Amino acid sequence: MRVLRLHPPKIEDIHHPLFEAQQVRVSVKREDGVHAIYGGNKWYKLQHNIQEALAKHHHTILTFGGAFSNHIAATAAACQELGLRSIGVIRGEAHYTENATLKAAQAAGMQLHFVSRTAYREKDSVQFLQSLQQLFGEFYLIPEGGANVLGAKGCEDIITKATTSYSHITLACGTGTTAAGILASCEPYQEIIGIPVFKDGSFLRKDILALTPQPNGVLELFTQYGFGGYAKTTPELVDFINFWHQQGLPLDPIYTGKAFFGVIRAIEVGYFPKGSRILFIHTGGLQGIAGYNAQQQKQASPLFIEN
Ligand SMILES: *Cc1c(COP(=O)(O)O)cnc(C)c1O
């Protein structure tokens, strides 16, 4: 059994005249730099799940995701390095293997199994799981996005001694699992701001709290930065992301770009008291830009700068 090689995440201070004007400081914890594929928040969510699978003597990991899923990419790459068989149940049609994320997952040895959107909605039913067992034999199941208690527990490690000096910790939310782990392990004086990357994300509060038996900090959600829905974008968001890329902060279109947009907007409107020290957790996702651009190109939409 091999061990994963991870680079320790750096915390970088970033600068912009706006921050000085509003008298706040902004830093980014570059979890994206930990590994090109399973860096970001995804290895944190996988680590205890994979340990549990090994403890239960499983050799196969099965999980779920969409065609651009960072979780699918991360699971495939991590399983390859650890010598585990991986199966990805993918929402949608097989022609999606055209995209960079799924190609890479397949190249890492993941077996892809495509199911219709209708079938995918039933993915947690006993019947569906039994049909998967008939197809693939025994496996350890990790839910979509690594969204379970073990996933949240793994994200507690994002908080370290180095993060204790910040007044606000901000991050993108999909399932809210990462925010849950951070909320459990942060300091009581810290405000954790989750930015859901889809419409009407206020329901996430109860999901996050369900995964956090003992919240430590204060939870806030900025729910107005969904940009019309999950994986939807606007020319304004493209410009924003490309601007920050040129400043040395690459962001992805689906998660970190929207979340950082929300942070900047909140600074502009004076949400943060003077003297605030704001930490943005870069949760990764940069692997998805190539596939996303390919789609944008088909619709002649503006493109994101790659790498
Ligand atoms: C998956 C993902 C998220 C969302 O994490 P949750 O724990 O589901 O909230 C945020 N950012 C990036 C880049 C991701 O890939």
Side-chain angles (χ1 to χ4, degrees):
M1 184 68 59
R2 292 168 60 190
V3 181
L4 295 184
R5 281 160 313 202
L6 303 166
H7 303 291
K10 294 195 187 99
I11 295 182
E12 293 172 352
D13 295 335
I14 55 168
H15 303 280
H16 191 280
L18 170 70
F19 307 160
E20 273 164 48
Q22 299 287 32
Q23 295 177 41
V24 298
R25 283 162 71 187
V26 181
S27 307
V28 180
K29 188 161 191 253
R30 297 289 304 266
E31 296 293 353
D32 59 305
V34 163
H35 185 274
I37 310 293
Y38 45 76
N41 59 351
K42 293 302 186 277
W43 171 247
Y44 287 99
K45 295 201 271 183
L46 285 172
Q47 56 176 344
H48 293 297
N49 275 298
I50 289 185
Q51 267 171 26
E52 178 82 357
L54 294 173
K56 291 186 169 160
H57 306 291
H58 282 282
H59 303 287
T60 303
I61 303 286
L62 180 141
T63 194
F64 303 95
F68 299 100
S69 167
N70 297 321
H71 167 69
I72 288 290
T75 305
C79 284
Q80 181 184 38
E81 279 212 35
L82 296 169
L84 289 163
R85 176 180 173 225
S86 68
I87 298 162
V89 179
I90 311 297
R91 180 186 62 230
E93 310 304 329
H95 68 253
Y96 282 133
T97 36
E98 299 297 311
N99 96 49
T101 299
L102 294 184
K103 262 193 205 151
Q106 232 169 6
M110 181 177 260
Q111 195 175 340
L112 301 180
H113 178 64
F114 291 90
V115 300
S116 71
R117 278 160 196 277
T118 325
Y120 192 86
R121 254 177 252 131
E122 302 300 317
K123 69 182 180 313
D124 298 320
S125 72
V126 175
Q127 228 178 5
F128 188 66
L129 292 178
Q130 277 172 349
S131 75
L132 291 175
Q133 262 159 359
Q134 269 164 14
L135 275 172
F136 300 113
E138 287 303 314
F139 51 75
Y140 179 85
L141 185 141
I142 300 180
E144 181 178 51
N148 59 10
V149 170
L150 288 176
K153 181 173 153 57
C155 292
E156 293 181 11
D157 295 351
I158 293 173
I159 293 298
T160 62
K161 230 173 144 23
T163 64
T164 55
S165 56
Y166 295 91
S167 53
H168 299 77
I169 299 178
T170 60
L171 76 159
C173 286
T175 63
T177 311
T178 308
I182 288 175
L183 193 62
S185 57
C186 70
E187 301 295 327
Y189 52 81
Q190 292 180 313
E191 181 174 325
I192 309 307
I193 300 172
I195 300 124
V197 297
F198 40 76
K199 266 199 289 196
D200 307 328
S202 46
F203 71 89
L204 268 190
R205 173 173 291 276
K206 95 176 154 3
D207 290 8
I208 293 170
L209 294 175
L211 287 170
T212 320
Q214 284 181 318
N216 241 335
V218 177
L219 177 65
E220 198 57 58
L221 293 178
F222 290 171
T223 56
Q224 64 274 54
Y225 302 106
F227 286 85
Y230 183 79
K232 295 216 168 105
T233 188
T234 66
E236 185 188 20
L237 183 65
V238 178
D239 281 349
F240 176 85
I241 289 175
N242 287 343
F243 168 80
W244 281 100
H245 199 127
Q246 282 156 343
Q247 309 298 305
L249 180 65
L251 299 164
D252 82 291
I254 299 179
Y255 291 99
T256 54
K258 291 183 182 181
F260 197 64
F261 187 99
V263 172
I264 295 296
R265 201 33 68 80
I267 295 173
E268 279 168 355
V269 301
Y271 174 87
F272 298 98
K274 287 192 188 5
S276 291
R277 292 201 62 192
I278 303 160
L279 182 65
F280 179 70
I281 308 292
H282 195 310
T283 43
L286 302 177
Q287 69 81 26
I289 297 178
Y292 200 88
N293 265 345
Q295 234 194 9
Q296 292 273 104
Q297 213 152 19
K298 275 188 220 150
Q299 296 151 9
S301 304
L303 297 183
F304 296 94
I305 301 172
E306 285 176 37
N307 69 57

